[in-house]
Amino acid sequence: MKIDPRHLEILAAIVENGGLTEGAEALGKSQPSVSRTLAQLESRIGTALFKPGRRPLQPTELGEALAEQGRMVRKANLASSDIVSRFKAGHAGLVRVAGTPIFIDGVISGIIARFQAQVPDVRVEQSYGYAETLIEKLRNETLDMAIVPLRRDKVPRDLIFQPILPGLNVVACREGHPLTRRKLLTSQDIEEFPWIAPPVDSPLYRDLKRALANIGAENYRISFSGGSLASVINVLTGSDSLTVLPYSVVFTMKAQSAIEALSLEIGHPDRMLGVLASSTPHDNPAAQRFRAFVVAQFEALAHRIVQHQKDRIWR
């Protein structure tokens, strides 16, 4: 027998409040409509659900059992409404984000942690990739957003790109490196030390080659290449090697890793770090909330970086 769950919910209100009028008031309905619903339910079942002549109304054993089911229906409805409300407000759901390994591990992972401290019920599914690959994932809707360095003239027309940080690279080294004690650095100074190279398919690898050309370092040698950001940092802090990193990564990781930037102009890439997303709006409030959070975090980071550059790097 199929019973309308709304009828069970009304029955529960009658039982809990002791009467038709009281139950109707609790539900915000009229007493006649509640009375009709009860009559329909009893007709459907074929038996009375309340003991005759009792005030307040007293349910039969079957009436009490069905009222308990009605309470469960009401609880499920309330839970469902809460789920919908949280989803629409961006407090629950799934966010699929990807980006270049250096930025994801060096900066974005910390932002994800801070976001989930505020919105713990949003699950973030993070992956790695470079712009060419991530663009296709955005197009086939297997990704909500990509955080990548990109030139404005390279942004596909079917996607939107919101810049969040200017391109700025620095030569990074361990704290206490011999070069940090020299006031004026030359290409000969630089050539004394080995270099760590990022993966050859990364934009940062091209930046490294360009930086070495800009400072006139011709006789350089690569001592370590590829690897994750963690391995690069481990090699960097455990040796006198040098590498090129985005300054945002050096600035963010300085508190947990003994690295610093040399006061050496190497030329900056003509790219901006930004959030790349589909231009077609998708109903994912959690992704919209995360995107706004990322933008706000980078606004604050950019301000701190500018001040730190003036005080410490290009002093």
Side-chain angles (χ1 to χ4, degrees):
M1 176 184 293
K2 187 175 182 179
I3 299 176
D4 191 331
R6 294 172 298 177
H7 293 180
L8 296 177
E9 192 173 2
I10 290 173
L11 174 62
I14 297 171
V15 171
E16 289 176 353
N17 293 280
L20 293 172
T21 301
E22 295 82 358
E25 290 177 354
L27 293 169
K29 297 178 177 292
S30 68
Q31 190 273 339
S33 70
V34 169
S35 181
R36 285 194 300 272
T37 298
L38 177 60
Q40 291 172 3
L41 181 58
E42 290 180 328
S43 176
R44 173 70 173 164
I45 296 171
T47 185
L49 297 174
F50 289 91
K51 297 175 183 179
R54 302 291 181 89
R55 292 290 184 273
L57 291 180
Q58 294 184 18
T60 63
E61 184 177 348
L62 177 59
E64 180 58 52
L66 292 177
E68 179 60 29
Q69 297 303 309
R71 296 184 189 102
M72 294 171 63
V73 169
R74 182 178 59 202
K75 184 178 180 180
N77 284 337
L78 290 173
S80 299
S81 296
D82 181 64
I83 289 172
V84 171
S85 297
R86 291 178 61 77
F87 178 85
K88 288 185 174 181
H91 289 289
L94 169 67
V95 178
R96 300 163 303 174
V97 59
T100 54
I102 293 293
F103 277 116
I104 286 287
D105 290 347
V107 184
I108 306 301
S109 59
I111 292 177
I112 292 173
R114 291 191 291 275
F115 175 77
Q116 291 189 312
Q118 296 184 15
V119 194
D121 291 335
V122 171
R123 182 165 69 91
V124 178
E125 187 177 276
Q126 176 254 301
S127 57
Y128 300 106
Y130 298 113
E132 296 80 2
T133 303
L134 301 184
I135 285 171
E136 292 307 311
K137 290 187 175 183
L138 288 169
R139 285 172 173 159
N140 62 32
E141 299 182 10
T142 59
L143 199 63
D144 293 307
M145 68 188 73
I147 303 175
V148 291
L150 203 62
R151 283 173 43 180
R152 289 182 180 271
D153 61 347
K154 295 297 184 180
V155 178
R157 293 185 178 181
D158 58 330
L159 301 177
I160 55 174
F161 183 70
Q162 184 173 5
I164 53 179
L165 200 66
L168 174 61
N169 290 336
V170 293
V171 174
C173 62
R174 65 173 176 84
E175 286 186 351
H177 191 284
L179 291 182
T180 61
R181 297 189 290 270
R182 301 183 190 180
K183 293 184 178 181
L184 182 63
L185 297 176
T186 66
S187 59
Q188 287 75 24
D189 296 327
I190 298 297
E191 289 174 351
E192 292 181 27
F193 301 97
W195 287 82
I196 298 171
V200 294
D201 59 342
S202 68
L204 198 58
Y205 181 81
R206 296 189 291 272
D207 291 346
L208 171 64
K209 302 290 284 187
R210 185 165 48 246
L212 290 169
N214 287 342
I215 60 180
E218 298 178 354
N219 300 316
Y220 62 89
R221 57 190 174 92
I222 303 295
S223 62
F224 179 81
S225 61
S228 64
L229 177 62
S231 60
V232 168
I233 296 299
N234 285 336
V235 174
L236 192 69
T237 56
S239 69
D240 283 338
S241 299
L242 306 172
T243 193
V244 169
L245 286 174
Y247 185 56
S248 57
V249 173
V250 176
F251 180 84
T252 301
M253 298 195 66
K254 185 173 175 57
Q256 62 193 64
S257 302
I259 59 175
E260 58 182 296
L262 295 178
S263 299
L264 181 66
E265 289 281 4
I266 59 173
H268 303 312
D270 57 349
R271 304 186 304 270
M272 294 281 289
L273 182 68
V275 181
L276 191 65
S278 172
S279 58
T280 304
H282 297 287
D283 188 17
N284 187 346
Q288 296 170 11
R289 178 178 285 273
F290 179 70
R291 179 177 173 179
F293 186 85
V294 168
V295 171
Q297 289 284 301
F298 269 94
E299 286 178 354
L301 177 62
H303 177 76
R304 296 198 304 272
I305 284 177
V306 168
Q307 190 58 49
H308 191 262
Q309 286 176 282
K310 292 178 180 178
D311 296 343
R312 297 293 301 277
I313 304 303
W314 316 127
R315 57 187 181 274

CSV table of all heavy atoms in Angstrom, one decimal, residues 198-202 205-206 225-226:
chain,number,residue,atom,x,y,z
A,198,PRO,N,63.4,23.6,-13.4
A,198,PRO,CA,62.0,23.0,-13.3
A,198,PRO,C,61.8,22.1,-14.5
A,198,PRO,O,62.6,21.9,-15.4
A,198,PRO,CB,61.1,24.3,-13.4
A,198,PRO,CG,61.9,25.3,-14.1
A,198,PRO,CD,63.3,25.0,-13.8
A,199,PRO,N,60.6,21.4,-14.5
A,199,PRO,CA,60.3,20.4,-15.6
A,199,PRO,C,60.4,21.2,-16.9
A,199,PRO,O,60.0,22.3,-17.1
A,199,PRO,CB,58.9,20.0,-15.3
A,199,PRO,CG,58.8,20.1,-13.8
A,199,PRO,CD,59.6,21.3,-13.4
A,200,VAL,N,61.0,20.5,-17.9
A,200,VAL,CA,61.2,21.2,-19.2
A,200,VAL,C,59.9,21.6,-19.9
A,200,VAL,O,60.0,22.4,-20.8
A,200,VAL,CB,62.0,20.2,-20.1
A,200,VAL,CG1,63.4,20.0,-19.6
A,200,VAL,CG2,61.3,18.9,-20.4
A,201,ASP,N,58.8,21.0,-19.6
A,201,ASP,CA,57.5,21.4,-20.3
A,201,ASP,C,56.8,22.5,-19.5
A,201,ASP,O,55.6,22.8,-19.9
A,201,ASP,CB,56.6,20.1,-20.4
A,201,ASP,CG,56.3,19.5,-19.1
A,201,ASP,OD1,57.0,19.8,-18.1
A,201,ASP,OD2,55.3,18.7,-19.0
A,202,SER,N,57.4,23.0,-18.5
A,202,SER,CA,56.7,24.1,-17.7
A,202,SER,C,57.1,25.5,-18.2
A,202,SER,O,58.2,25.7,-18.7
A,202,SER,CB,57.1,23.9,-16.3
A,202,SER,OG,58.5,24.3,-16.1
A,205,TYR,N,60.4,26.8,-16.8
A,205,TYR,CA,61.7,26.3,-17.5
A,205,TYR,C,62.1,27.4,-18.5
A,205,TYR,O,63.3,27.7,-18.6
A,205,TYR,CB,61.5,25.0,-18.1
A,205,TYR,CG,62.8,24.5,-18.7
A,205,TYR,CD1,63.8,23.9,-18.0
A,205,TYR,CD2,63.0,24.6,-20.1
A,205,TYR,CE1,65.0,23.4,-18.5
A,205,TYR,CE2,64.2,24.1,-20.7
A,205,TYR,CZ,65.1,23.5,-19.9
A,205,TYR,OH,66.3,23.1,-20.5
A,206,ARG,N,61.1,27.8,-19.3
A,206,ARG,CA,61.4,28.9,-20.3
A,206,ARG,C,61.8,30.2,-19.6
A,206,ARG,O,62.7,30.9,-20.1
A,206,ARG,CB,60.2,29.1,-21.2
A,206,ARG,CG,59.8,27.8,-22.0
A,206,ARG,CD,58.8,28.1,-23.0
A,206,ARG,NE,57.5,28.4,-22.5
A,206,ARG,CZ,56.6,27.5,-22.2
A,206,ARG,NH1,56.8,26.2,-22.4
A,206,ARG,NH2,55.4,27.8,-21.7
A,225,SER,N,67.1,18.7,-12.0
A,225,SER,CA,66.0,19.1,-12.9
A,225,SER,C,64.8,18.3,-12.6
A,225,SER,O,64.9,17.2,-12.1
A,225,SER,CB,66.4,19.1,-14.4
A,225,SER,OG,66.7,17.7,-14.7
A,226,GLY,N,63.7,18.9,-13.0
A,226,GLY,CA,62.4,18.2,-12.8
A,226,GLY,C,62.0,18.2,-11.3
A,226,GLY,O,62.4,19.0,-10.6
